[in-house]
């Protein structure tokens, strides 16, 4: 096991994203130097997460340096236990908390929100954000005092100004074409049109404005952004022709891959996610090592964003920060409805492959993941859907957008992803570009998101509205038995010989916990039943009055010794062999014969008395033992 520093773990990548997302938009576009912030955890009390401190430390370092950074940024984690909000809850408190939300912002505005919850209401989330911003203001005051005492003077960034004649020429040449392009509903056609406008304009102006290609391209970008935002605010029309609150067409399919345990294809507009569910045993659990200690994951969701999904060519070298972040958001969204290991003793892995993307692919993953789980027969508590909300704000003019496109994310002021069931919110992630967005606007966005989520859930219900009653025929069957802890050694056997023999004969996987819980997993139902029966026979004690089928192990003058359970035999006295007088035991049974016998007595020393004549004509026992099957 590799034990030195290497590439960041997924937890470290998530913490880095949490630090980066609120800070990055605050830098001036005219400041072109590379900036690297390194946050290192040097000591951990193993009770508190380091990510919030990392963000505050990064902001403090930037404010103290000569790097032009406009204002301090702080963050706080909010939990809620028994109806009471908790500021910066510990790991132990988070286990009992209804929500885990990290909020970052300046003293004027909230910049990012990240977290999950157990189906909380929109009001609860708004109240949490309000409390968080109050705490953020206090921490920013401390940073400001630190800068006053020890800060350095800032580098002066000269604003890059584009020559007025370039702006005028680009506007006269391109405005009409850009306006027409912004009204093309198909993403690829719109992008191709803008690219053609840029190419033709640069070619036409390069002789008149030599060396100013970047200024020309930037001017066209500004035209595109300004026209799109004006169209949304003034015409209430979006790039694909929708109104602000309208959702793109949705199609849902389940069972699209016949050999997998569960699959679903969720399409919303030009965004499509194929999600596959695979069910495994405890052998498939993932070990996770973090600052707070080691743990095991039995539910995982992985998100892949191949380059072809957006018409690009690039090397595929494993998941990047974006893929890990989107996967973690979708995993957190579905987590509250996943059944417990006691009720459903499987390891669950969801994989979302984005086949095409035009915004909200992580929310498509949530919807597809919920459908795929139900297709696999996983007894989730409720279906989960997600929607991405956007915003365009110019002065006092504000427009909230439902189910945003990629271009609306890029040129808009907010990306607010909200997931949940019909009962409440399960996860959220918000990034804000505008300097100030009031809580009234956020409340409006959440209310619209709630209505949109109900609409999406209705569409999903048309495909599948509840988990299938049984698992796929290709999924393993797991049977759980509870045995006496004193019997564990008997099942394992000396050097593991007994359990190895059962595994070899049946093909089943067997896992025994110290508590006496035994899990038997098998792809072949017959093999699984055989393994369960073999274990049950080892651990159960003979019962007076029970009928057993056993093997004659030894013949004596006075009777026959019959093994009725592994390692347990009893005596059938010669008088109990037949309903008539028997002269010789060999006249009725011989060594190796399989016979049906009844237990008629067990003495104080544990010796078992058996009767063949009492069992003649009686039905054979099927045995006993508490167990529950999961199919």
């Amino acid at each position: 096991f590799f034990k030195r520093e290497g590439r960041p773990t997924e937890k470290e990548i998530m913490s880095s994203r949490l630090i980066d997302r609120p800070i990055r938009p605050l830098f001036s576009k005219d400041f072109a130097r590379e900036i690297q912030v390194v946050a290192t955890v040097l000591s951990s009390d193993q009770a508190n997460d380091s990510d919030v401190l990392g963000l505050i430390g990064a902001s403090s370092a930037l404010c103290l340096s000569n790097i032009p950074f406009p204002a301090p940024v702080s963050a706080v984690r909010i939990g809620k236990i028994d109806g009471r909000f908790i500021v910066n809850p510990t790991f132990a408190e988070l286990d009992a908390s209804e929500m885990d939300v990290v909020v970052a912002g300046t003293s004027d505005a909230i910049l990012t929100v990240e977290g999950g919850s157990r189906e909380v209401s929109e009001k609860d989330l708004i109240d949490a954000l309000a409390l968080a911003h109050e705490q953020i203001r206090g921490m920013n005051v401390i940073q400001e005092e630190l800068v006053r005492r020890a800060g350095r003077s800032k580098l002066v960034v000269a604003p890059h100004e584009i020559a007025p004649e370039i702006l005028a020429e680009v506007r006269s040449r391109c405005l009409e074409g850009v306006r027409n392009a912004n009204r093309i509903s198909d993403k690829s056609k719109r992008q191709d049109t803008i690219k053609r406008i840029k190419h033709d304009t640069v070619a036409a102006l390069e002789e008149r404005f030599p060396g100013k290609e970047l200024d020309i391209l930037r001017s066209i970008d500004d035209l595109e952004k300004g026209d799109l935002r004006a169209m949304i605010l003034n015409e209430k029309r979006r790039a694909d022709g929708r109104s602000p609150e309208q959702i793109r067409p949705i199609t849902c399919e389940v069972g699209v891959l016949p050999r997998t345990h569960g699959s679903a294809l969720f399409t919303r507009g030009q965004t499509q996610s194929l999600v596959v569910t695979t069910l495994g045993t405890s052998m498939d659990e993932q070990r996770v090592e973090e600052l707070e200690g080691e743990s095991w994951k039995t539910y995982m969701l992985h998100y892949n964003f191949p380059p072809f999904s957006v018409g690009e060519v690039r090397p595929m070298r494993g998941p990047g920060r974006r893929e890990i972040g989107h996967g973690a958001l979708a995993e957190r969204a579905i987590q509250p409805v996943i059944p417990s290991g006691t009720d459903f003793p499987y390891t669950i892995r969801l994989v979302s492959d984005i086949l095409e993307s035009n915004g909200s692919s992580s929310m498509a993953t949530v919807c597809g993941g919920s459908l795929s789980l139900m297709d696999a027969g996983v007894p989730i508590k409720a279906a989960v859907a997600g929607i991405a909300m956007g915003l365009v704000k110019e002065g006092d003019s504000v427009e909230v957008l439902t189910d945003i496109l990629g271009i609306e994310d890029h040129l808009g002021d907010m990306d607010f992803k909200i997931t949940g069931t019909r009962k409440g919110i399960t996860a959220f992630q918000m990034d804000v570009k505008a300097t100030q967005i009031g809580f009234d606007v956020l409340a409006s966005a959440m209310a619209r998101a709630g209505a949109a989520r109900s609409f999406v859930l209705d569409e999903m219900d048309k495909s599948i509205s509840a988990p299938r009653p049984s698992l796929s025929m290709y999924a393993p069957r797991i049977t759980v038995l509870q045995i006496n802890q004193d019997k564990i050694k008997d099942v394992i056997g000396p050097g593991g010989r007994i359990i190895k023999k059962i595994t070899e004969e049946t093909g089943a996987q067997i896992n025994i916990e110290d508590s006496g819980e035994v899990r038997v997993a098998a792809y072949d139902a017959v093999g699984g039943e055989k393994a369960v029966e073999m274990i049950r026979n080892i651990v159960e004690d003979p019962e007076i009055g029970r009928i057993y089928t056993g093997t004659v192990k030894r013949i004596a003058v006075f009777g026959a010794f019959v093994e009725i359970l592994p390692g347990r035999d009893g005596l059938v006295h010669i008088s109990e062999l037949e309903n008539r007088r028997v002269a010789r035991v060999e006249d009725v049974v011989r060594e190796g014969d399989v016979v049906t016998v009844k237990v008629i007595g067990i003495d104080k020393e544990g010796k078992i008395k058996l009767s063949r004549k009492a069992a003649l004509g009686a039905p054979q026992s099927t045995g006993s033992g508490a167990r529950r099957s999961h199919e």
Side-chain angles (χ1 to χ4, degrees):
F1 189 73
F2 202 58
K3 283 290 185 184
R4 68 147 296 145
E5 292 82 356
R7 70 183 301 273
T9 65
E10 288 199 5
K11 172 63 173 70
E12 290 167 329
I13 289 172
M14 290 300 299
S15 297
S16 297
R17 280 172 54 86
L18 185 143
I19 295 170
D20 176 73
R21 284 180 18 240
I23 287 176
R24 180 181 295 273
L26 299 182
F27 291 106
S28 168
K29 292 182 179 179
D30 296 320
F31 188 69
R33 299 193 189 184
E34 284 190 312
I35 303 169
Q36 184 179 32
V37 178
V38 180
T40 304
V41 180
L42 299 177
S43 179
S44 171
D45 63 4
Q46 296 186 304
N48 295 276
D49 204 318
S50 59
D51 51 7
V52 168
L53 292 178
L55 194 153
I56 298 171
S59 170
S60 300
L62 288 166
C63 289
L64 288 168
S65 75
N66 67 345
I67 296 170
F69 190 68
V73 176
S74 292
V76 65
R77 175 175 269 105
I78 302 293
K80 187 179 183 185
I81 300 177
D82 296 330
R84 182 174 59 90
F85 288 115
I86 298 176
V87 176
N88 290 326
T90 63
F91 290 128
E93 289 172 328
L94 284 174
D95 289 339
S97 177
E98 296 175 37
M99 65 168 56
D100 176 5
V101 52
V102 176
V103 185
T106 63
S107 296
D108 296 328
I110 289 176
L111 298 175
T112 61
V113 179
E114 178 93 38
S117 58
R118 298 175 185 173
E119 299 177 291
V120 302
S121 68
E122 283 78 4
K123 182 182 182 302
D124 280 344
L125 183 53
I126 286 289
D127 290 345
L129 298 185
L131 172 61
H133 199 220
E134 180 184 325
Q135 298 289 323
I136 285 168
R137 290 193 187 99
M139 288 182 282
N140 284 339
V141 169
I142 297 173
Q143 290 192 58
E144 289 165 359
E145 174 61 20
L146 179 64
V147 172
R148 189 187 66 77
R149 296 185 185 184
R152 299 167 60 186
S153 59
K154 298 294 184 180
L155 293 172
V156 177
V157 180
H160 178 76
E161 296 183 356
I162 301 174
E165 54 268 29
I166 293 179
L167 292 172
E169 185 66 30
V170 167
R171 185 176 183 84
S172 65
R173 281 177 172 271
C174 303
L175 182 57
E176 183 177 356
V178 166
R179 282 179 173 172
N180 292 334
N182 275 341
R183 287 154 178 79
I184 297 174
S185 60
D186 183 82
K187 174 186 175 181
S188 59
K189 291 180 180 178
R190 182 172 61 249
Q191 289 177 332
D192 289 343
T193 302
I194 293 292
K195 285 179 182 178
R196 187 167 61 252
I197 291 172
K198 289 180 175 180
H199 176 271
D200 293 346
T201 304
V202 168
L205 299 180
E206 62 182 349
E207 187 173 329
R208 182 179 172 187
F209 302 108
K212 297 296 183 180
E213 179 180 343
L214 292 178
D215 284 356
I216 295 169
L217 293 174
R218 187 169 176 177
S219 299
I220 297 172
D221 288 338
D222 290 343
L223 272 183
E224 180 188 10
K225 179 177 181 179
D227 176 72
L228 181 74
R229 293 168 67 88
M231 180 174 68
I232 291 170
L233 290 173
N234 301 329
E235 302 175 29
K236 309 300 180 186
R237 183 186 188 280
R238 299 160 71 175
D240 58 358
R242 285 182 293 150
S243 63
E245 66 280 353
Q246 193 173 353
I247 299 173
R248 290 172 287 177
I250 292 173
T251 59
C252 308
E253 299 176 59
V254 296
V256 293
L257 302 176
R259 184 55 182 82
T260 62
H261 299 165
S263 62
L265 188 67
F266 180 87
T267 309
R268 179 162 48 201
Q270 291 180 304
T271 296
Q272 186 175 73
S273 170
L274 175 64
V275 187
V276 176
T277 298
T278 304
L279 303 176
T281 68
S282 58
M283 300 289 289
D284 301 305
E285 294 177 4
Q286 181 184 20
R287 189 175 81 171
V288 179
E289 283 192 343
E290 295 178 341
L291 287 175
E292 64 268 29
E294 184 179 275
S295 61
W296 295 86
K297 288 184 69 173
T298 58
Y299 155 65
M300 296 157 268
L301 189 152
H302 298 142
Y303 167 101
N304 297 317
F305 193 82
F308 65 74
S309 66
V310 286
E312 294 179 358
V313 176
R314 68 171 183 264
M316 297 177 68
R317 298 192 176 103
R321 287 171 60 141
R322 180 182 182 278
E323 290 173 301
I324 290 171
H326 278 34
L329 172 61
E331 180 178 290
R332 188 164 57 240
I334 299 176
Q335 174 78 62
V337 303
I338 296 293
S340 69
T342 303
D343 297 328
F344 192 73
Y346 288 85
T347 298
I348 304 170
R349 183 182 184 226
L350 295 176
V351 178
S352 170
D353 287 295
I354 303 304
L355 304 184
E356 61 173 341
S357 178
N358 187 10
S360 306
S361 60
S362 61
M363 298 297 93
T365 294
V366 173
C367 299
S370 177
L371 292 169
S372 179
L373 285 166
M374 289 193 286
D375 181 55
V378 178
I380 60 174
K381 300 173 185 175
V384 182
I387 201 80
M389 307 300 294
L391 181 79
V392 174
K393 183 177 185 291
E394 294 286 353
D396 294 331
S397 298
V398 178
E399 192 64 60
V400 174
L401 306 177
T402 301
D403 182 24
I404 58 174
L405 299 169
I407 192 172
E408 292 168 341
D409 180 11
H410 178 59
L411 301 180
D413 298 318
M414 180 180 78
D415 179 13
F416 194 0
K417 302 180 179 74
I418 310 176
T419 74
T421 64
R422 296 187 190 276
K423 184 178 177 181
I425 296 171
T426 59
F428 32 83
Q429 184 182 88
M430 182 178 76
D431 293 283
V432 176
K433 301 174 189 174
T435 53
Q436 274 189 295
I437 294 178
F439 285 104
D440 56 336
V441 175
L442 292 178
S444 174
M446 278 191 249
R448 284 199 191 179
R453 189 168 71 245
S454 295
F455 174 82
V456 176
L457 288 168
D458 288 342
E459 294 297 303
M460 292 166 59
D461 282 348
K462 295 176 183 178
S463 175
I464 185 170
S465 59
R468 298 196 188 280
S470 61
L471 300 182
S472 162
M473 62 182 291
Y474 301 111
R477 262 51 182 178
I478 298 179
T479 302
V480 181
L481 299 90
Q482 187 66 44
I483 67 173
N484 192 307
Q485 291 172 290
D486 295 335
K487 298 286 187 178
I488 294 176
K489 62 181 183 299
D490 298 328
V491 177
I492 295 174
R497 285 199 296 269
I498 300 297
I499 196 169
K500 183 178 180 182
K501 178 184 177 184
I502 297 172
T503 299
E504 289 175 348
E505 289 187 13
T506 65
Q509 292 182 9
I510 302 169
N511 183 64
I512 305 177
E513 301 291 340
D514 292 339
S515 63
E517 182 181 270
V518 181
R519 296 190 179 190
V520 180
Y523 288 94
D524 176 21
V526 174
E529 284 295 324
K530 183 179 179 182
V532 168
E533 195 68 26
M534 293 174 74
I535 294 171
R536 190 181 62 201
N537 288 339
I538 292 172
V539 301
E540 73 176 353
D541 292 319
E543 297 178 22
I544 296 176
R546 284 275 308 276
I547 306 294
Y548 293 89
T549 298
T551 303
V552 178
K553 291 295 185 180
R554 183 163 62 90
I555 298 294
V557 174
F558 49 84
F561 290 91
V562 177
E563 185 181 59
I564 57 172
L565 294 172
R568 298 296 302 274
D569 58 24
L571 172 65
V572 181
H573 192 269
I574 191 170
S575 62
E576 295 291 336
L577 285 173
E578 283 281 4
N579 289 319
R580 56 180 174 80
R581 185 178 181 281
V582 176
R584 294 173 62 251
V585 174
E586 291 86 344
D587 293 340
V588 180
V589 295
R590 297 180 181 276
E591 284 190 19
D593 286 354
V594 176
V595 296
T596 300
V597 292
K598 182 177 183 179
V599 178
I600 58 174
I602 302 175
D603 65 18
K604 294 180 180 180
E605 296 178 357
K607 293 180 180 180
I608 304 168
K609 298 178 181 180
L610 304 174
S611 171
R612 180 174 175 272
K613 69 180 182 181
L616 291 176
Q620 180 183 345
S621 171
T622 57
S624 64
R627 58 173 171 161
R628 56 187 185 274
S629 296
H630 297 265
E631 297 182 349

